Each structure stands twice: as structure tokens, then as C-alpha cells.
Amino acid sequence: MYVKDVEVQNQVGLHARPATFFIQKANEYKSSIWVEKEERRVNAKSLLGVLSLGILGGNNIKIIADGADEQEAVEGLAKLVDSGFAE
């Protein structure tokens, strides 16, 4: 299992287009991936799950993965969130 704390950089947070982009990226990895905010954990590959967390810009989240490419998955998603979805 690989875990990383990340601060969401974009103003919108993980809503609408950024959430969809995040989930598309999460689905590229083989690992099971979760997003956690304030000890509430959801599947990072589920749009409804991610949206249900109400993640706004400036929120701190944890990205957690378990599986074959867990470190690559967490670092890739953290980079995406750190960049403010500029990629």
C-alpha cells in the first residue's frame, strides 16, 4: 500500500471537469485506488464517490493505492492534483 497527502491546487477542486479528468487518469492504473478526505474514503475510479467528498481547492486529501503499480498511480495522481490540472 502506498499513501500520499496532497493539497488540491485548483480553485474548483475535484468537481465537474477536474473530477472527470482525475477519474480517467485513475482508471489508467491497475492498482486499487482510493481518495480520502477527513477519514472518509472512496474509490478514486468512481465519479459519484469522488464528487461525494466535496473536495474544494485548498483541501488536503490522501491518495491511496494498493496493487502492481501503486507508487506510480499515487505519484501520477498527486502530480495531477499538485499541478492544478494544468496538464
Side-chain angles (χ1 to χ4, degrees), residues 32-74:
S32 297
I33 308 170
W34 302 273
V35 177
E36 184 175 283
K37 177 186 165 198
E38 299 170 359
E39 299 189 26
R40 183 161 174 251
R41 187 180 293 185
V42 299
N43 183 339
K45 297 178 181 183
S46 164
L47 181 60
L48 290 177
V50 171
L51 291 176
S52 75
L53 290 179
I55 299 169
L56 303 173
N59 283 160
N60 291 314
I61 61 172
K62 287 183 181 177
I63 301 173
I64 305 154
D66 190 20
D69 57 357
E70 61 191 29
Q71 184 172 357
E72 179 185 350
V74 169

